[in-house]
Amino acid sequence: MNLAELESLFYRAVRGRVHPDALNDVFVSRPERSGAAGMRVYNGAYFTRLTEALADSFPVTHRLAGEERFRTLARRYVMRFPSTAPAIERVGARFPVLLADELEEGERSLVD
């Protein structure tokens, strides 16, 4: 596996798009933790940081939606619209698009 392939695998793994068995074959496993379990640390950190960035960019939506609902929407957003910008503050550029698509009729005020 060359470096570009490894980077691609790592990025897909961080986003939860790789079967755990593939990770155990590539990333170091230890008796106390498999390669897949180690990647879950990165996966959790990835989604947590991007959710925090979205909450910082959309504080009213975050407050109105509540923590659990906002986290669910943020995860869906990150999976559907992976960031292509190098600056984390731009991660939410298409968040209103997801909100418009995902929200129930009674939640439409969150888009505004």
Side-chain angles (χ1 to χ4, degrees), residues 55-89:
D56 289 345
S57 296
F58 298 92
V60 174
T61 302
H62 181 225
R63 182 174 46 80
L64 292 174
E67 190 64 35
E68 186 175 330
R69 180 72 170 131
F70 189 84
R71 285 186 181 279
T72 299
L73 291 167
R75 185 170 185 90
R76 286 184 188 160
Y77 173 73
V78 170
M79 292 301 289
R80 184 169 162 194
F81 298 108
S83 181
T84 57
I88 195 166
E89 59 269 6

Side-chain angles (χ1 to χ4, degrees), residues 91-107:
V91 73
R94 299 184 70 191
F95 195 51
V97 172
L98 175 108
L99 294 176
D101 289 348
E102 294 279 328
L103 295 176
E104 302 291 328
E105 193 63 37
E107 298 177 300

